[in-house]
C-alpha cells in the first residue's frame, strides 16, 4: 500500500496529480468581435504625431480613455502601450529631471523605479510595512530631502498602500503622489478607489494582469496640466508644441508610447468584465483563507478595515517557527505536490546590478552622479530590513485564487499545506542528508 502521507518531494503520491495551476484567460468572443471590427475598419491605429484631432488617438483609444475616466470619476485618461510607459509618462509629467528624487517601494516590479531613472532623477527606497506590503509612511517621511519631488506608492498584490497617509505627507511637503496601480484595478482604500488618491494612477493591461490586452496601460489624472504633459510625451510632443501653442516645453520631448486600436478594443471588453473578474478572485481568495484556518503557520493576506483587496496575488506570511521548517523547503514540497506557490516575490529593487553598480546611461554613473547627495545615496543591502526579511524568509505568493481553479482547488491547496507541514521531520531529515 502506498503511504499517502509521504511527501511527493520524497517519492510519495502527489496530492494534486492532475489539476495543474492555470492562469485565467478571460479573452472570449467579445474581444474577438471587437478586434474583427477594428480589422474590418482597416484603421489599426488612429494616432498621428502632428497637431489636430488624430494627435490624441483613434476612436477605440478614446473610448477606452472615456470609459476609464468616467468609471474612476477623474477628468482625464491616457492610454499607452504598457504600464511601464504609463509610469514613464507620469514621471515626465511631474517635471522630474537630473538631481531630483522620487521615494518609492523596493517591493515591486522593476519598472516602478527604472522609469524614475529614465527622467534623469533617482529613486530613493522607503521600507515597506508588513501588513499591506506597501511603503511605510514613516519611512517615506524619514527619506524626504530637498531633492524629493514625488512619492510613488505601489498598490501591491491587489491591496492599497497606506494612501491617505501618503497623500497627507505629499501635501504637507508639496510633493506629487503617483500610484502604481498595475496590480490593483478597482481596489478600494478607505472608501475611495485606488489610482484616484494620487495625482496620477497607472494601470497595466499586460498578459498576467487581471484585465489584459496582451500589452497595454492607462494613466488617469484629474490634473489637466499633468494630462497634457503625459499625452505629449506619449506621442512625440517635441513635434507639436509650437503649433499647439504650448509654451512650457519641459519634458515634452516624447516617444512613441501609443496604444493600437486593436489593443484598445480588447482593453474595452476586458474593462467591462473587471467587476466579474475581481469578484471571482475575491470569492476564491476568501475560500482559501477559510481553508487555511486550520494551518496556523500560514498567515493569510491582511485586508485593512475600509479597504477592498482585489487579489492579483494571494500573498501570505509563513511562520517558520510555528511551522518548524524553512519556508523554502515548504515551497519546494508544495510544488512537488502539484500546488503552485512561490517563496518570496522579487528581490528588493535596489539589489539589482543597476543600483548596486550605479550604472544606467553609458558608463558615467549618470543619473546617480547628478544627485547633489550622490555619495550618501545608498542602495546597500540592509537598506529596507522589513522588505528583506519578507523576501528572504516570510512571504509566499500564489495565484491559484483565479478561475478556472475552483473552491475545491482552494481546499486541496490547504490540505497539501497540512500534508507537507505534518511531514516536516521527514523533509528536514531529507534536506539535511542532501546538504
Ligand atoms: C507593480 C507593477 N508595476 C509596473 C508593471 C509594468 O507593467 P507593464 O508590463 O504593463 O509595463 C508591472 C507589471 O508586472 C507591475 O506589476
Amino acid at each position: 500500500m502506498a503511504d499517502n502521507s509521504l511527501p511527493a518531494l520524497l517519492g510519495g503520491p502527489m496530492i494534486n496529480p492532475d489539476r495543474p495551476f492555470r492562469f485565467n484567460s478571460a479573452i472570449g468572443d467579445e474581444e474577438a468581435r471587437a478586434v474583427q471590427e477594428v480589422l474590418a475598419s482597416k484603421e489599426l491605429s488612429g494616432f498621428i504625431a502632428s497637431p489636430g484631432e488624430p494627435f490624441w488617438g483613434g476612436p477605440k483609444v478614446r473610448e477606452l480613455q472615456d470609459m476609464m475616466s468616467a468609471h474612476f470619476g477623474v477628468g482625464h485618461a491616457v492610454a499607452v502601450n504598457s504600464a511601464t510607459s504609463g509610469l514613464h509618462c507620469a514621471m515626465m509629467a511631474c517635471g522630474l529631471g537630473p538631481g531630483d528624487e522620487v521615494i518609492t517601494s523596493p517591493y515591486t516590479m522593476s519598472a516602478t523605479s527604472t522609469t524614475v531613472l529614465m527622467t534623469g532623477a533617482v529613486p530613493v527606497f522607503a521600507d515597506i510595512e508588513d501588513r499591506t506590503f506597501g511603503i511605510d509612511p514613516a519611512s517615506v517621511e524619514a527619506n524626504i530631502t530637498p531633492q524629493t519631488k514625488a512619492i510613488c506608492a505601489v498598490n501591491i498584490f491587489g491591496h492599497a498602500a497606506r494612501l491617505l497617509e501618503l497623500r497627507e505627507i505629499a501635501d504637507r511637503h508639496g510633493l506629487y503622489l503617483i500610484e502604481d496601480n498595475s496590480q490593483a484595478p478597482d481596489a478600494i482604500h478607505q472608501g475611495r478607489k485606488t489610482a484616484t488618491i494620487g495625482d496620477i494612477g497607472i494601470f497595466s493591461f499586460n498578459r498576467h494582469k487581471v484585465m489584459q490586452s496582451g500589452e497595454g496601460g492607462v494613466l488617469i489624472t484629474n490634473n489637466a496640466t499633468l494630462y497634457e504633459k503625459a499625452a505629449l510625451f506619449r506621442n512625440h510632443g517635441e513635434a507639436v508644441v509650437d503649433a499647439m501653442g504650448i509654451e512650457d516645453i519641459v519634458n515634452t520631448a516624447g516617444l512613441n508610447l501609443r496604444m493600437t486600436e486593436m489593443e484598445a478594443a480588447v482593453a474595452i471588453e476586458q474593462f467591462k468584465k473587471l467587476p466579474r473578474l475581481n469578484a471571482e478572485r475575491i470569492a476564491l481568495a476568501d475560500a482559501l483563507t477559510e481553508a487555511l484556518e486550520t494551518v496556523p503557520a500560514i498567515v493569510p493576506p491582511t485586508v485593512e478595515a475600509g479597504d477592498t483587496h482585489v487579489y492579483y496575488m494571494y500573498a501570505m506570511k509563513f511562520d517558520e517557527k510555528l511551522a518548524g521548517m524553512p519556508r523554502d523547503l515548504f515551497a519546494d514540497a508544495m510544488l512537488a505536490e502539484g500546488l503552485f506557490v512561490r517563496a518570496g516575490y522579487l528581490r528588493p529593487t535596489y539589489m539589482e546590478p543597476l543600483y548596486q553598480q550605479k550604472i544606467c546611461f553609458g558608463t558615467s554613473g549618470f543619473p546617480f552622479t547628478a544627485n547633489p547627495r550622490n555619495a550618501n545615496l545608498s542602495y546597500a543591502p540592509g537598506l529596507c530590513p522589513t522588505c528583506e526579511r519578507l523576501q528572504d524568509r516570510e512571504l509566499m505568493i500564489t495565484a491559484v485564487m483565479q478561475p478556472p481553479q475552483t473552491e475545491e482547488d482552494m481546499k486541496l491547496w490547504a490540505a497539501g499545506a497540512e500534508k507537507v507541514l505534518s511531514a516536516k521531520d521527514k523533509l528536514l531529515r531529507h534536506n539535511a542528508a542532501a546538504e
Side-chain angles (χ1 to χ4, degrees), residues 3-261:
D3 175 3
N4 281 342
S5 69
L6 187 68
L9 194 63
L10 305 182
M14 287 167 80
I15 198 168
N16 182 28
D18 45 31
R19 292 157 75 108
F21 164 70
R22 280 186 290 156
F23 279 106
N24 191 11
S25 177
I27 299 293
D29 293 345
E30 302 81 1
E31 287 78 5
R33 268 196 300 274
V35 171
Q36 284 298 341
E37 260 178 49
V38 174
L39 286 170
S41 79
K42 302 192 196 307
E43 298 283 344
L44 307 192
S45 171
F47 279 104
I48 298 177
S50 47
E53 280 295 295
F55 179 78
W56 308 97
K60 288 291 179 191
V61 161
R62 290 199 222 182
E63 188 182 333
L64 174 67
Q65 293 176 164
D66 290 348
M67 266 176 96
M68 289 190 65
S69 45
H71 178 86
F72 289 100
V74 295
H76 315 278
V78 179
V80 281
N81 56 6
S82 69
T84 303
S85 298
L87 284 160
H88 198 176
C89 286
M91 303 294 171
M92 293 299 274
C94 290
L96 296 175
D100 294 337
E101 297 178 356
V102 176
I103 300 176
T104 191
S105 169
Y107 218 31
T108 175
M109 195 258 170
S110 60
T112 312
S113 41
T114 316
T115 48
V116 175
L117 293 170
M118 292 298 139
T119 69
V122 294
V124 169
F125 296 101
D127 205 353
I128 59 171
E129 42 92 30
D130 75 350
R131 287 170 63 88
T132 66
F133 311 123
I135 33 176
D136 184 341
S139 179
V140 169
E141 186 116 39
N143 275 294
I144 292 174
T145 73
Q147 282 79 49
T148 311
K149 288 279 165 15
I151 299 167
C152 181
V154 184
N155 301 318
I156 198 77
F157 306 134
H159 192 286
R162 299 202 182 283
L163 296 170
L164 288 186
E165 288 176 59
L166 295 169
R167 179 76 267 175
E168 189 277 321
I169 293 171
D171 289 346
R172 188 153 36 82
H173 291 272
L175 307 173
Y176 287 111
L177 177 63
I178 299 167
E179 285 181 66
D180 181 345
N181 198 51
S182 300
Q183 300 190 2
D186 252 3
I188 303 287
H189 180 60
Q190 307 302 302
R192 291 168 64 179
K193 284 186 193 294
T194 59
T196 67
I197 297 169
D199 299 283
I200 298 182
I202 291 106
F203 297 83
S204 174
F205 283 88
N206 85 18
R207 62 191 281 253
H208 297 297
K209 294 298 183 284
V210 177
M211 47 187 191
Q212 65 136 327
S213 56
E215 305 288 354
V218 170
L219 166 164
I220 61 170
T221 181
N222 236 339
N223 180 318
T225 310
L226 294 176
Y227 161 69
E228 190 178 84
K229 282 257 158 105
L232 286 166
F233 188 67
R234 164 179 69 178
N235 189 14
H236 307 290
E238 72 283 357
V240 298
V241 281
D242 50 354
M244 282 167 62
I246 290 163
E247 282 167 19
D248 171 13
I249 66 162
V250 171
N251 286 2
T252 56
L255 297 170
N256 171 356
L257 307 175
R258 306 176 303 218
M259 183 183 256
T260 68
E261 287 292 283

Side-chain angles (χ1 to χ4, degrees), residues 191-401:
R192 291 168 64 179
K193 284 186 193 294
T194 59
T196 67
I197 297 169
D199 299 283
I200 298 182
I202 291 106
F203 297 83
S204 174
F205 283 88
N206 85 18
R207 62 191 281 253
H208 297 297
K209 294 298 183 284
V210 177
M211 47 187 191
Q212 65 136 327
S213 56
E215 305 288 354
V218 170
L219 166 164
I220 61 170
T221 181
N222 236 339
N223 180 318
T225 310
L226 294 176
Y227 161 69
E228 190 178 84
K229 282 257 158 105
L232 286 166
F233 188 67
R234 164 179 69 178
N235 189 14
H236 307 290
E238 72 283 357
V240 298
V241 281
D242 50 354
M244 282 167 62
I246 290 163
E247 282 167 19
D248 171 13
I249 66 162
V250 171
N251 286 2
T252 56
L255 297 170
N256 171 356
L257 307 175
R258 306 176 303 218
M259 183 183 256
T260 68
E261 287 292 283
M262 287 178 295
E263 286 163 337
V266 174
I268 288 165
E269 296 308 320
Q270 289 276 291
F271 189 63
K272 288 183 198 159
K273 294 178 181 176
L274 182 62
R276 169 171 70 76
L277 297 176
N278 276 341
E280 287 168 349
R281 283 175 183 250
I282 292 168
L284 287 172
D286 287 347
L288 183 54
T289 298
E290 196 182 319
L292 285 170
E293 268 170 20
T294 51
V295 191
I298 295 179
V299 182
T302 304
V303 185
E304 296 292 333
D307 286 12
T308 302
H309 200 317
V310 291
Y311 296 104
Y312 170 63
M313 288 287 160
Y314 188 93
M316 304 153 268
K317 282 189 278 183
F318 185 76
D319 187 329
E320 291 193 339
K321 272 212 190 89
L322 264 185
M325 69 188 295
R327 175 199 65 178
D328 293 6
L329 178 58
F330 173 83
D332 285 348
M334 287 290 278
L335 289 170
E337 297 294 342
L339 299 168
F340 175 58
V341 70
R342 175 160 152 182
Y345 172 50
L346 295 167
R347 63 183 168 184
T349 307
Y350 54 82
M351 300 299 279
E352 290 162 8
L354 166 59
Y355 300 97
Q356 291 302 304
Q357 297 175 35
K358 293 189 176 165
I359 290 291
C360 183
F361 293 101
T363 54
S364 68
F366 182 84
F368 304 102
T369 45
N371 191 275
R373 62 188 190 101
N374 181 16
N376 295 325
L377 190 68
S378 172
Y379 299 123
L383 183 65
C384 297
T386 305
C387 182
E388 292 185 23
R389 170 171 54 82
L390 286 163
Q391 173 62 11
D392 294 344
R393 295 196 303 280
E394 279 182 29
L395 192 111
M396 297 190 308
I397 55 176
T398 184
V400 293
M401 64 315 115

